[in-house]
Amino acid sequence: MSKPKIIVTRRWHPEVEAVLVERFDTRLNEDDHPMSVSELQDALRSADAVLPTVCDKVTAEVLGADNIRAKILGSNGVGFNHIDLEAAKAAGLTVTNTPEVLTDCTADLAMTLLLAVARRAGEGERHLRNGEWTGWRPTHMMGTSVTGKTLGLIGMGRIARAVAARAAHGFNMKIIFHDPFPPRAEDIEGLNASSCASPEEVFAQADFVSLHCPGGKETYHLIGTEAFKAMQPGAFLINTARGDVVDESALISALENGEIAGAGLDVFEKEPAVSAGLLKLENVVLLPHLGSATRETRKAMGMRVVENIEAFFNGDIPRDKLV
Ligand code: DGY
C-alpha cells in the first residue's frame, strides 16, 4: 500500500521531520517560508494530510478550495484559533492539535515574563549594554517584589494551573482565577486558588494578571480600556495566550497613562507585527511567541502530530481530534 502524502507547512524539529520522511510520502517546506493562501489551497488539493502550525491562517477562504484531497489537518500547536473549524468540518477534514506536551514549557515562559517585567530585567539589560550603568546605588532601578503577591489568572486550563503551581509553590503567591468553565476541585488541589465570579473581580485584586484563555471571537479584546481601568495601578499584565485577547492600543494607553505598571507579552494582536507604541516603552518585556520554543517541547509537539495522523490513517480516532 502506498504511503499517505503529507505536506508540512514550515520547518519542524529535525528528528520529527526525519520520522515524517521515513513514515510518509512527505513534502517539507525546505526554505521555511510562510505559505500563501494559494499555496495552502494547493497543499489541500495535493496531499492526504496537511500539517500546519499556529502561524498558518487556515481560514474559510483557504478551506473553500475546490477539489480538496486532504482528509486531516494535523496542526502543530495547542491553540486552534488559526483554523476555521466549522469550515474544516464542512470540507470533510479532521483537525487535531497538540495539547499537554507544551504545558510546562509555556508556564515557564509566563513566569519568565512575570519576573522579567516586575524586576525590570529587559530594561536593566538594555541599560547595561548601552554602557549607562554607573554602579550600585540604593535607588537604582527599583522594581516590584513578586514573592507573596497575588496572581490573577484569566482561564484556568492546564497552562494556567502549571503557572499557578510555580507561583504558589515557588513564590508563595496567592492565586485567584476566573474561568467560565471552572476546573474540577481535584485539578486545583494544593494550589490554594480561589475562583472569582468575573474577570473584573480578578482585575480588582491581582498584582499580576496572566492570560490563559483561548483566542477567537469569544475572547477578542477581552482586555481593553475597561479592564485596564479595573486593574490596580501597580498591576502587571502577562500574555502568553493569544494576541487578540488584548486590545493593543488600549494597552499602550494604559501603560503610558500609568493605569497599569507594565506588561510581559509573548503574543501580539497582528503578529509578527508589533505596535510601534509598545516598542517605545521601557515597562514592557516583548518576546517573539516563544512559549513552546524549547528543543524538547518542539520535538514532543511534532511527535504528537505524528501520533495523531498515524492513528487517523490506521482508521482510529486521533487522541487530539478537535473536529
Ligand atoms: C500554541 O501551541 O498554541 C502556541 O501558541 C505555540 O507555542
Side-chain angles (χ1 to χ4, degrees):
M1 212 176 77
S2 65
K3 293 175 178 178
K5 181 159 183 202
I6 307 292
I7 295 184
V8 189
T9 67
R10 298 301 296 259
R11 295 314 302 253
W12 285 19
H13 189 290
E15 288 176 46
V16 182
E17 286 191 346
V19 169
L20 287 168
V21 167
E22 187 198 312
R23 299 188 195 169
F24 302 97
D25 172 7
T26 300
R27 192 179 92 199
L28 300 174
N29 178 349
E30 297 294 343
D31 65 1
D32 201 22
H33 68 281
M35 283 193 179
S36 65
V37 169
S38 64
E39 281 177 296
L40 288 170
Q41 289 180 325
D42 285 347
L44 288 168
R45 286 189 192 104
S46 49
D48 301 302
V50 176
L51 311 189
T53 68
V54 298
C55 67
D56 296 301
K57 298 204 176 358
V58 191
T59 58
E61 181 192 1
V62 168
L63 291 158
D66 54 357
N67 300 320
I68 288 186
R69 163 176 165 181
K71 288 283 170 264
I72 179 165
L73 290 172
S75 188
N76 186 344
V78 66
F80 47 84
N81 62 317
H82 58 293
I83 301 176
D84 187 323
L85 292 183
E86 285 308 309
K89 200 170 160 190
L93 284 151
T94 291
V95 181
T96 59
N97 68 340
T98 63
E100 293 156 4
V101 288
L102 45 64
T103 300
D104 285 323
C105 194
T106 309
D108 290 348
L109 198 90
M111 289 308 292
T112 305
L113 285 170
L114 188 155
L115 290 163
V117 70
R119 300 302 305 272
R120 302 173 68 176
E123 194 185 344
E125 207 206 3
R126 284 190 289 279
H127 175 78
L128 182 146
R129 284 179 186 269
N130 288 339
E132 291 161 4
W133 185 32
T134 56
W136 191 92
R137 53 200 188 277
T139 57
H140 187 216
M141 286 205 135
M142 293 185 288
T144 301
S145 292
V146 170
T147 298
K149 295 287 175 68
T150 298
L151 172 63
L153 300 161
I154 301 298
M156 199 55 172
R158 287 189 201 90
I159 297 173
R161 299 198 298 270
V163 173
R166 284 152 177 74
H169 303 311
F171 296 90
N172 197 25
M173 292 178 91
K174 177 181 169 197
I175 311 297
I176 57 174
F177 68 89
H178 171 75
D179 193 319
F181 307 98
R184 298 172 308 176
E186 58 262 44
D187 287 336
I188 55 170
E189 213 176 279
L191 296 178
N192 196 16
S194 345
S195 174
C196 295
S198 64
E200 290 70 28
E201 211 179 297
V202 173
F203 302 151
Q205 299 173 60
D207 299 301
F208 297 88
V209 174
S210 189
L211 305 180
H212 300 284
C213 48
K217 280 194 274 250
E218 309 279 302
T219 55
Y220 180 76
H221 284 190
L222 175 71
I223 309 295
T225 311
E226 294 308 314
F228 292 120
K229 282 196 199 320
M231 288 181 202
Q232 304 201 41
F236 294 89
L237 176 73
I238 310 301
N239 191 6
T240 52
R242 281 295 179 265
D244 61 5
V245 178
V246 177
D247 176 345
E248 221 160 87
S249 68
L251 170 63
I252 294 165
S253 307
L255 289 162
E256 284 172 350
N257 303 334
E259 275 173 323
I260 63 168
L265 309 173
D266 187 44
V267 286
F268 301 88
E269 209 177 326
K270 299 197 168 70
E271 68 184 65
V274 178
S275 297
L278 284 175
L279 297 171
K280 287 192 211 132
L281 292 168
E282 283 292 0
N283 54 344
V284 292
V285 176
L286 309 170
L287 294 179
H289 205 147
L290 296 180
S292 62
T294 66
R295 281 181 289 278
E296 297 86 342
T297 300
R298 289 289 162 82
K299 182 177 166 191
M301 290 164 71
M303 289 310 297
R304 187 79 169 229
V305 178
V306 172
E307 185 189 329
N308 281 320
I309 58 169
E310 277 188 324
F312 180 82
F313 288 120
N314 286 335
D316 298 328
I317 297 176
R319 85 195 254 201
D320 303 316
K321 183 175 190 278
L322 296 166
V323 292

